[in-house]
Amino acid sequence: MTQPIWGPVQQEMSDLLQRHPDDVPGVVDLLAQLQVALCRVPPLLDGNPLADFNKLYLTITENVLERLYAGRFKDPAFLSRLDVEFAARYFDALRYWTEASPACPGVWAGLFHRIPGPDARALPSAIAGVNAHINFDLPFALVTTFDHLGSDPVDGSDQHYDYLQVNDIFADEIPGLRRGYLDRWQLLIDTMNGDLDDWWQGEMVEYTRNVAWRNAQKIWAIRHDLGALDKERRRLDNTATGLGKLLLSPFGSFLQ
């Protein structure tokens, strides 16, 4: 008999992934419950590379929710819907993987394959998850969100302003999150580097999210052409998959 993908938490994962959150608190709750389950997946347990990404994603989403409660966004309906649509793509990828479905995007499959180890490293794994979620999932989540709200992805709009606010959340959270993935000797080197590592990783997140916005505008223009849409989906998946392989390769260990 084939070993279940999630080992002893297979049923728990299956049950959790039957949920489809329709608001940001629901997304936070599901991410938190997934974190508990992922840290019990053998053989790596809390060293599970997907748990490293999920922890980062949970922290960022909790920050988004705090800003929503504080009234920090110009168009909270947009940001809330985007958060739900964005998370849905991650949950769908997990569900496809759990069901051994070929519908699982290649970029996510590349990270999921690393769950048994043994060469998973925390920071490259988290960044590989960010790559999958931003470079592949985010453009389509934006398109679905704008379609749902009946508006367009326009530069300089209230929606674009709120979208860019999330860059600030990453900038605030990256230093603490990144150091949480480092060993003691790596923390020493990090201290010697000063703010350099935090700066370039923040710049990379900002650049990547700007590219995702541009890709969303491109997809928006072809959204009714199913052939062109599928071609663009495959292109983005292939590009993100290639980058993910690089991040999870021995070269990616330099990130650690």
Side-chain angles (χ1 to χ4, degrees):
M1 181 176 179
T2 302
Q3 176 73 14
I5 291 171
W6 302 112
V9 297
Q10 177 76 20
Q11 189 59 55
E12 183 178 351
M13 289 291 292
S14 297
D15 291 345
L16 286 172
L17 293 168
Q18 294 308 307
R19 295 167 51 185
H20 300 269
D22 58 3
D23 57 23
V24 183
V27 170
V28 168
D29 182 62
L30 182 50
L31 286 171
Q33 292 191 55
L34 284 171
Q35 187 67 23
V36 173
L38 289 170
C39 288
R40 290 167 29 230
V41 176
L44 299 179
L45 303 179
D46 57 3
N48 178 338
L50 186 59
D52 292 319
F53 164 72
N54 196 86
K55 178 175 67 174
L56 181 155
Y57 189 22
L58 173 58
T59 299
I60 297 298
T61 308
E62 287 174 333
N63 199 312
V64 169
L65 182 58
E66 289 175 5
R67 291 192 179 214
L68 281 168
Y69 284 151
R72 300 278 296 277
F73 296 109
K74 291 185 176 182
D75 188 346
F78 163 75
L79 224 294
S80 297
R81 174 51 54 179
L82 177 59
D83 194 277
V84 169
E85 295 290 345
F86 191 33
R89 279 149 181 80
Y90 171 54
F91 299 146
D92 284 347
L94 278 170
R95 190 176 304 109
Y96 291 141
W97 186 252
T98 301
E99 297 169 353
S101 168
C104 182
V107 65
W108 279 116
L111 178 57
F112 297 161
H113 273 298
R114 295 299 184 102
I115 290 171
D119 59 343
R121 297 180 67 84
L123 188 56
S125 297
I127 295 176
V130 172
N131 163 61
H133 209 26
I134 293 180
N135 285 324
F136 180 67
D137 291 338
L138 185 53
F140 296 101
L142 280 163
V143 169
T144 306
T145 298
F146 280 112
D147 188 58
H148 176 84
L149 297 176
S151 54
D152 299 328
V154 177
D155 291 354
S157 62
D158 286 351
Q159 294 82 11
H160 191 212
Y161 172 86
D162 288 344
Y163 177 81
L164 294 177
Q165 267 206 65
V166 179
N167 295 346
D168 297 335
I169 294 175
F170 272 98
D172 291 342
E173 296 292 342
I174 277 177
L177 286 168
R178 187 172 60 79
R179 292 183 181 95
Y181 295 119
L182 302 181
D183 297 326
R184 182 175 298 177
W185 67 270
Q186 293 166 328
L187 284 170
L188 176 61
I189 295 174
D190 185 75
T191 301
M192 294 170 63
N193 285 337
D195 295 331
L196 179 62
D197 291 339
D198 298 331
W199 174 80
W200 81 258
Q201 287 179 2
E203 289 293 305
M204 284 303 299
V205 167
E206 182 175 347
Y207 171 79
T208 303
R209 295 189 79 254
N210 286 340
V211 170
W213 178 267
R214 297 299 173 208
N215 282 327
Q217 291 176 319
K218 180 178 179 181
I219 295 168
W220 182 257
I222 61 171
R223 67 190 184 282
H224 299 306
D225 185 336
L226 296 183
L229 187 61
D230 183 63
K231 182 178 179 180
E232 183 65 10
R233 189 184 311 277
R234 285 185 280 109
R235 183 187 72 81
L236 290 177
D237 192 11
N238 289 338
T239 300
T241 298
L243 181 55
K245 289 179 179 178
L246 181 63
L247 291 168
L248 294 169
S249 72
F251 172 80
S253 295
F254 286 108
L255 293 171
Q256 189 78 0

